[in-house]
Amino acid sequence: MEKMARVTTALGSNTISGCTMFCHLDAPANAISVCRDAAQVVVAGRNIFKIYALEEEQFVEKLNLRVGRKPSLNFSCADVMWHQMDENLLATAATNGAVVTWNLGKPSRNKQDQLFTEHKRTVNKVCFHPTEVHMLLSGSQDGYMKCFDLRRKESVSTFSGQSESVRDVQFSIRDYFTFAASFENGNVQLWDIRRPDRYERMFTAHNGPVFCCDWHPEDRGWLATGGRDKMVKVWDITTNRAKEIHCVQTIASVARVKWRPERKYHLATCSMMVDHNIYVWDVRRPFIPFATFEEHKDVTTGIVWRHLHDPGFLLSGSKDSTLYQHKFKDASRPVDKANPEGLCFGLFGDLAFAAKESLISGGGDSNRKPYGSGGDRRYPIFFFKKPDLTEQFAHESSALSVFETDLESSRMDWFVETARRYLLSGKPFGELCDHNAKVAKELNRPQVSTTWTMLRIMYSDPGNLATATSISKGGSIPLMNSFNMKEIAAGGLGSESRLDRGKGEIRQDTIHLDPGNSLINNNDENEETEGSEGPADYLFGDAELEDDDLYPMEHENPTAEEAEYSLPQEAFPLRHEIVDNPSVPEHLQDKVDSPHVSGNEAEAVCLTPIKSFSLISISQPLYESHLPASFFSPVVREMLQHYAEAGDVQMAVSVLIVLGDRIRKEVDELTQEHWYTSYIDLLQRFELWNVSNEVIKLSTSSAINCLNQTSTTLHINCSNCKRPMSNKGWICDRCHQCASICAVCHHVVKGLFVWCQGCSHGGHLEHIMNWLKSSSHCPAGCGHLCEYT
């Protein structure tokens, strides 16, 4: 304490001053350390080992410790430590497993003092005892910690952490015999240097490796730890069990953590990767950094406060080969950029809006009296020194306004009913569209219903529509304005035979289609007419086809009604007079000339025109008989975006699933993922778990398909010994008893098992339900009051 007081007195008489400055290094730095008088800093790395003097406006190189033509691996440093009691003593942790001490007081160029090679792998950390000059502690990748007495040539104690590697070791500032060690498996151990056989205490600090730890310089019971789980935790180890008292969530793995001098709740952190900034946190407000230093362009590898009693300057080294001195007053304040306004919609349409009080009240409330003006003077008034604004967290207050909506106008019953009743798979495409259109129509959503109907018309193959291709067993065909184009083309109408007008036969006004006409063939395999060059194509006028006509009504006696139907000749007007009559094929000429051929058959033969641009073109069609699915893709994509932007993400996702590959490539993956995530979130808010799981399974996005595969592991404990079950059988490998025995019937439960989370007893679902109907006590007799929900 006497020496510590002497340092404080020196600092008080000669206050540290400086500015934000930097210098370029010869190589990336792995670690830095500062001497006790804050006048020099040592920088160590794989290819650099130098000492710089800290002057008013710049760094000045004082000494290069890498000497010799071919420096050995002892100069390749993973960590460096400058003794706070002896200004000439340095220690480094080498990547080859060596611990090296350096004496700056040596007159020779090579300042190496002692070399310890007891570690088998890389040494990650070295640490001097804060009050003992000759005591040095090291932690290695081999899982061992060694305590060296610099007056001897070997270690005096070896501590085994029973883990893969030791990431950090730190002597306690207040407890003489205690040091802390952090490990790769997420544990932190507290050791007494007098007992190397076993640690005094161990606790799991992080979910993953713990990269760093640091004792609080003022409070002897506070230990800060940082790990790969992106968290900084502050532990109170004065209690019987280590207690987490503060937790800071960062955005990347925490590589270094250092408490800020003279500030009880402030600590500095830097990241191991991704994030290059240095953050100073107030652990009482862990959601936003208190200050940020953004000078480095690559990962920061080492941070240290310049002096133990000066909170104004921070030194840092980085992989960008720079050494910085940061003046705290020059740090950026993220809280100054924080937005005090907020907007959020509630589940039932309520709107919450938060903003500055000055914006809400329009400059201040006239009814609100200012503090201290005209108030009660009975109490004395104290005047305090104005605090430094750079050390104060900016306080912003916002006024919250909530706008409620009418419950009836914002009811979401249609959403729930639609989600439950929609069919997204398991049936043909046309039936899915028809069913979903019917559901939407019943829920008074006509636009959505019409959309489903249009999708069915666009993407259904006319050749596969059951309602349009139904031909009775007797051979009759449906109405002419609802016939199947391919089937008509497959019949005898495709023949190139013509009626020989020179024979003077009388032309009838109407053409009768005989139900028993042998020329009409409904065989799907015969899709091209005999003698034709391609598939048939029929063109209609703009007003000739209605939606209802595409799908005719089924009659009780379709054969009789279709037999009486006659097609007016005016439905297919001729454009010009046919002059040249080609020769009629022999097999049709015989039918026309034969007296046994009826007039209807003859007229049916004569329906097929020659190669011409008439309304009916059989031989050479002008267009495809059915538009490809890609023709409608742009329209459908715009329709999906319209529904999503209007807030009906349910419709967008349902159409995506039903259409599948027809539309999936037209919408980018990120947009699909956003729609799926929004819809699944809504379903889970309404507790529609089954529908949500079905949407996840049927989704067309690979990022969504894996959502129901996460968090599917259930860890259970044995109901007898209360320890975790490590095997997959029925028997606990610790107490060797069956763990899943029904507390009611005392038999092994091999099916659905229900248990009480309070006492761990359970059994068959039906048995437990029946038991709890008559008694609230546990059937196992443990006395616990169980409850089935």
Side-chain angles (χ1 to χ4, degrees):
M1 292 301 294
E2 182 181 355
K3 294 183 179 181
M4 187 67 70
R6 191 182 308 133
V7 173
T8 306
T9 305
L11 181 62
S13 61
N14 188 14
T15 305
I16 293 178
S17 61
C19 61
T20 299
M21 58 184 182
F22 75 98
C23 71
H24 291 284
L25 306 176
D26 298 335
N30 286 340
I32 63 174
S33 184
V34 67
C35 66
R36 66 173 184 174
D37 60 359
Q40 292 179 323
V41 59
V42 58
V43 182
R46 284 184 175 273
N47 299 308
I48 185 174
F49 191 18
K50 291 183 179 181
I51 295 178
Y52 290 86
L54 294 163
E55 297 189 356
E56 189 71 23
E57 296 182 354
Q58 63 179 351
F59 292 96
V60 178
E61 181 180 335
K62 289 294 184 181
L63 182 62
N64 186 3
L65 296 174
R66 287 177 64 89
V67 295
R69 294 182 178 180
K70 292 183 179 180
S72 66
L73 288 178
N74 296 336
F75 293 97
S76 180
C77 305
D79 188 40
V80 64
M81 184 72 177
W82 204 323
H83 205 301
Q84 297 302 302
M85 299 289 294
D86 187 351
E87 60 184 10
N88 290 325
L89 187 57
L90 291 174
T92 58
T95 56
N96 63 349
V99 177
V100 188
T101 60
W102 309 81
N103 187 359
L104 302 181
K106 276 190 174 183
S108 61
R109 292 180 63 241
N110 189 354
K111 306 295 183 181
Q112 181 175 325
D113 188 15
Q114 296 192 57
L115 177 64
F116 303 97
T117 58
E118 299 185 22
H119 287 294
K120 304 302 181 184
R121 299 179 63 184
T122 300
V123 180
N124 292 322
K125 195 70 177 179
V126 288
C127 178
F128 282 112
H129 196 281
T131 56
E132 284 290 337
V133 180
H134 303 289
M135 188 177 296
L136 175 65
L137 185 67
S138 65
S140 172
Q141 198 77 11
D142 58 12
Y144 291 95
M145 299 151 283
K146 292 183 179 292
C147 184
F148 301 95
D149 189 336
L150 301 183
R151 294 166 294 189
R152 302 183 182 182
K153 300 297 182 181
E154 59 184 9
S155 63
V156 294
S157 300
T158 300
F159 308 87
S160 175
Q162 303 296 327
S163 178
E164 286 188 9
S165 63
V166 184
R167 284 293 187 167
D168 198 358
V169 288
Q170 292 290 335
F171 274 111
S172 173
I173 298 177
R174 301 292 179 181
D175 291 336
Y176 182 89
F177 299 105
T178 302
F179 72 88
S182 61
F183 294 87
E184 191 102 1
N185 59 3
N187 292 336
V188 172
Q189 296 178 2
L190 302 181
W191 291 80
D192 190 319
I193 57 176
R194 298 168 296 183
R195 290 193 57 189
D197 57 330
R198 179 175 175 79
Y199 53 80
E200 284 193 333
R201 183 183 302 181
M202 183 182 70
F203 59 92
T204 301
H206 292 268
N207 184 18
V210 186
F211 293 134
C212 54
C213 63
D214 192 39
W215 291 94
H216 198 285
E218 299 176 8
D219 195 313
R220 64 187 301 171
W222 284 16
L223 178 67
T225 60
R228 194 172 64 185
D229 57 0
K230 307 177 184 179
M231 290 185 180
V232 179
K233 296 183 179 181
V234 180
W235 303 88
D236 184 2
I237 53 99
T238 58
T239 58
N240 294 331
R241 190 174 184 180
K243 179 182 179 182
E244 178 186 326
I245 55 177
H246 297 289
C247 181
V248 177
Q249 178 71 58
T250 66
I251 62 174
S253 301
V254 182
R256 298 284 187 270
V257 56
K258 292 292 181 182
W259 286 101
R260 188 183 178 197
E262 307 292 335
R263 301 291 184 270
K264 182 176 181 179
Y265 297 100
H266 289 190
L267 52 80
T269 65
C270 64
S271 172
M272 179 168 287
M273 58 184 66
V274 180
D275 191 10
H276 307 158
N277 299 336
I278 302 171
Y279 299 102
V280 178
W281 301 87
D282 188 327
V283 294
R284 296 168 298 181
R285 297 184 67 177
F287 305 106
I288 187 169
F290 179 74
T292 305
F293 301 103
E294 304 173 345
E295 284 80 8
H296 286 296
K297 306 301 180 185
D298 204 342
V299 174
T300 304
T301 55
I303 56 174
V304 61
W305 294 98
R306 182 169 174 178
H307 197 277
L308 186 62
H309 298 279
D310 183 17
F313 293 93
L314 178 70
L315 300 174
S316 65
S318 171
K319 286 185 178 180
D320 61 6
S321 301
T322 58
L323 174 65
Y324 263 91
Q325 174 178 271
H326 308 275
K327 189 174 182 179
F328 196 81
K329 291 185 177 181
D330 297 336
S332 62
R333 300 304 180 92
V335 71
D336 295 336
K337 304 176 183 178
N339 190 1
E341 284 79 29
L343 183 69
C344 183
F345 276 102
L347 182 61
F348 297 102
D350 297 340
L351 175 65
F353 174 66
K356 289 184 178 180
E357 291 184 351
S358 58
L359 297 178
I360 297 296
S361 59
D365 191 353
S366 58
N367 297 326
R368 185 177 302 171
K369 295 181 180 181
Y371 178 78
S373 60
D376 194 350
R377 295 293 187 182
R378 292 178 298 175
Y379 299 100
I381 299 177
F382 295 93
F383 295 94
F384 296 96
K385 181 181 177 180
K386 187 177 181 180
D388 186 0
L389 295 179
T390 60
E391 299 296 335
Q392 299 294 321
F393 231 121
H395 293 280
E396 292 286 349
S397 59
S398 301
L400 179 64
S401 302
V402 178
F403 303 91
E404 296 182 351
T405 57
D406 184 13
L407 292 178
E408 294 297 328
S409 62
S410 60
R411 294 182 67 88
M412 297 283 286
D413 294 343
W414 62 269
F415 178 87
V416 177
E417 284 298 316
T418 302
R420 288 174 176 170
R421 297 172 60 184
Y422 263 4
L423 290 181
L424 304 179
S425 63
K427 290 187 177 182
F429 173 76
E431 295 184 22
L432 293 177
C433 292
D434 289 338
H435 175 83
N436 295 341
K438 181 180 178 182
V439 171
K441 190 173 183 180
E442 292 176 355
L443 296 175
N444 296 323
R445 305 184 68 199
Q447 182 179 3
V448 176
S449 177
T450 305
T451 302
W452 282 112
T453 303
M454 292 300 299
L455 290 174
R456 178 201 60 190
I457 296 174
M458 288 186 211
Y459 288 97
S460 293
D461 185 4
N464 296 330
L465 291 177
T467 56
T469 60
S470 58
I471 299 180
S472 64
K473 295 181 180 179
S476 63
I477 63 174
L479 304 183
M480 200 61 182
N481 61 348
S482 60
F483 61 83
N484 187 330
M485 302 173 186
K486 291 185 178 180
E487 289 183 354
I488 296 297
L493 295 181
S495 175
E496 295 184 356
S497 64
R498 299 290 183 271
L499 178 63
D500 189 1
R501 295 180 180 271
K503 293 185 179 182
E505 294 185 7
I506 301 175
R507 186 178 183 85
Q508 300 180 2
D509 291 337
T510 58
I511 301 176
H512 299 278
L513 297 179
D514 189 358
N517 193 345
S518 61
L519 294 180
I520 303 298
N521 185 8
N522 61 348
N523 188 3
D524 289 337
E525 296 179 358
N526 185 18
E527 292 192 359
E528 294 186 3
T529 60
E530 185 179 37
S532 64
E533 297 179 0
D537 185 49
Y538 293 83
L539 307 179
F540 296 90
D542 293 339
E544 291 180 2
L545 283 181
E546 298 291 341
D547 185 28
D548 295 334
D549 296 333
L550 286 176
Y551 306 96
M553 300 292 293
E554 295 183 1
H555 302 284
E556 296 180 358
N557 189 9
T559 306
E561 291 198 357
E562 291 168 1
E564 296 177 0
Y565 179 81
S566 61
L567 179 66
Q569 182 184 1
E570 287 77 13
F572 307 98
L574 299 177
R575 289 193 176 184
H576 55 82
E577 188 72 15
I578 300 178
V579 179
D580 297 328
N581 295 327
S583 58
V584 180
E586 296 180 359
H587 66 282
L588 292 180
Q589 183 65 41
D590 296 336
K591 283 191 175 183
V592 174
D593 296 338
S594 174
H596 302 288
V597 178
S598 64
N600 294 339
E601 292 180 346
E603 289 295 336
V605 173
C606 299
L607 274 176
T608 307
I610 62 171
K611 297 179 182 179
S612 63
F613 297 102
S614 62
L615 287 179
I616 303 180
S617 178
I618 302 299
S619 300
Q620 292 182 352
L622 293 178
Y623 303 102
E624 294 283 342
S625 62
H626 178 57
L627 293 174
S630 59
F631 179 82
F632 303 103
S633 296
V635 179
V636 176
R637 183 178 65 249
E638 293 180 5
M639 178 268 294
L640 293 176
Q641 294 174 350
H642 165 75
Y643 276 109
E645 292 173 358
D648 190 2
V649 71
Q650 181 183 57
M651 182 63 179
V653 172
S654 300
V655 173
L656 267 179
I657 295 177
V658 172
L659 289 180
D661 293 335
R662 300 179 181 92
I663 194 63
R664 180 174 61 183
K665 296 181 180 179
E666 300 294 329
V667 183
D668 61 276
E669 288 288 336
L670 291 179
T671 302
Q672 292 186 46
E673 184 177 345
H674 177 64
W675 291 350
Y676 277 113
T677 305
S678 302
Y679 185 42
I680 292 170
D681 180 57
L682 286 173
L683 292 174
Q684 293 178 352
R685 287 190 182 189
F686 285 100
E687 299 181 359
L688 299 173
W689 313 112
N690 292 337
V691 181
S692 173
N693 189 56
E694 182 184 7
V695 171
I696 292 174
K697 290 194 299 183
L698 298 176
S699 66
T700 55
S701 175
S702 57
I704 302 298
N705 285 329
C706 61
L707 290 181
N708 58 359
Q709 303 299 321
T710 59
S711 302
T712 55
T713 302
L714 183 63
H715 300 279
I716 60 174
N717 292 350
C718 176
S719 59
N720 300 312
C721 63
K722 312 298 183 185
R723 294 183 178 181
M725 295 281 292
S726 57
N727 56 11
K728 298 181 180 180
W730 305 101
I731 306 299
C732 176
D733 57 352
R734 295 180 182 269
C735 63
H736 303 288
Q737 295 186 18
C738 187
S740 56
I741 295 180
C742 180
V744 179
C745 66
H746 304 290
H747 287 84
V748 177
V749 182
K750 296 184 178 181
L752 192 59
F753 184 86
V754 60
W755 73 96
C756 175
Q757 298 183 13
C759 63
S760 300
H761 296 122
H764 296 94
L765 175 61
E766 188 175 350
H767 294 174
I768 298 298
M769 291 177 62
N770 294 333
W771 175 274
L772 294 179
K773 288 180 181 179
S774 58
S775 175
S776 59
H777 289 82
C778 178
C782 65
H784 184 264
L785 295 177
C786 302
E787 181 180 358
Y788 177 77
T789 56

